Amino acid sequence: MSRGAIKLFAILAMTGNHIAQLFLTPGSFPYHLFLTLGYATAPLMCSFLSDGFTYTRDRKQYFLRLVLFALVSELPFYLAFGHGGNMGITLALSFLALLAWEKGRKDVSLLVILATGWSDWSFLAPVFTIMVHQTKRERKQEALAFGAGTFLFALICLANGESVVHALGFGLAGVLRIYGYNGEKGNFPGWLFYGFYPIHLLLLAGIAG
């Protein structure tokens, strides 16, 4: 699968996850299925963020795009879920945490990780971004990073009173990334995910409201 194909899956899975949270009956099979599949999206985005951090020609511009994405998405996220802290904020902070880690400022990196405490996928997303970045796309190391991430997410599910089955979504992300990704870019427009995220949240908020 190309990067574009995996991102398309991530978009569809994320949408299903949000539909489950807003409209489906908690505890039902469709509810658990869509939640679980949707939980593959965040670790996939974190791993592609690591790629972008490595290969972008201009890290400043890359970061500014993440900040713009976060700002544009905040109101739609609030309208959909009734609270702030969209995933764009977490991704932007994950980028900063990774940058500080690379420069040897682990103290700053820790502070940035703590700053995600109020946003979606708090703590785990920046930690996992650093973990997967350290693997340098070495398959065995990447598998260990996804395994550790899946375990940590299972603990988070338990702590939040959710089913540990949801952690299978994290594991699915690892399978797609390690064994499904062929390294090719594909035809997926880079702006599509950034545009789709706030737009689909606005649509879902309108339907729910």
Side-chain angles (χ1 to χ4, degrees), residues 5-205:
I6 293 178
K7 284 188 175 181
L8 179 59
F9 165 81
I11 281 179
L12 295 175
M14 172 188 66
T15 303
N17 181 282
H18 292 163
I19 288 173
Q21 292 185 56
L22 293 172
F23 302 110
L24 298 185
T25 303
S28 66
F29 176 76
Y31 174 83
H32 286 298
L33 176 63
F34 287 132
L35 275 188
T36 300
L37 291 175
Y39 285 139
T41 300
L44 287 172
M45 292 299 102
C46 290
S47 61
F48 285 130
L49 175 63
S50 168
D51 291 345
F53 181 90
T54 300
Y55 298 114
T56 184
R57 295 179 181 179
D58 190 332
R59 286 181 175 175
K60 181 179 179 180
Q61 289 298 319
Y62 191 97
F63 174 68
L64 290 177
R65 287 197 299 271
L66 291 173
V67 171
L68 179 61
F69 168 55
L71 292 175
V72 169
S73 301
E74 186 61 4
L75 180 58
F77 187 87
Y78 178 84
L79 292 175
F81 297 109
H83 60 84
N86 72 87
M87 187 63 187
I89 295 173
T90 310
L91 290 175
L93 290 174
S94 296
F95 182 96
L96 289 180
L98 183 54
L99 180 63
W101 187 276
E102 185 186 65
K103 292 183 178 296
R105 295 301 308 272
K106 296 182 179 179
D107 54 338
V108 175
S109 184
L110 177 59
L111 289 176
V112 176
I113 291 170
L114 293 175
T116 67
W118 69 284
S119 60
D120 202 17
W121 281 82
S122 56
F123 309 126
L124 181 56
V127 169
F128 178 70
T129 301
I130 293 172
M131 287 170 57
V132 77
H133 188 72
Q134 298 302 303
T135 68
K136 302 185 184 301
R137 292 302 328 268
E138 202 282 318
R139 178 171 289 188
K140 289 184 179 179
Q141 295 301 316
E142 202 167 25
L144 288 174
F146 271 95
T150 301
F151 177 73
L152 290 173
F153 187 56
L155 293 180
I156 291 171
C157 288
L158 281 175
N160 291 334
E162 296 183 30
S163 171
V164 293
V165 172
H166 295 164
L168 292 176
F170 205 116
L172 174 61
V175 173
L176 291 174
R177 167 76 175 185
I178 299 168
Y179 302 105
Y181 181 35
N182 58 19
E184 297 179 1
K185 183 178 180 179
N187 297 320
F188 189 88
W191 52 264
L192 183 56
F193 176 80
Y194 296 107
F196 181 85
Y197 184 75
I199 290 173
H200 96 282
L201 287 174
L202 281 175
L203 290 173
L204 291 179

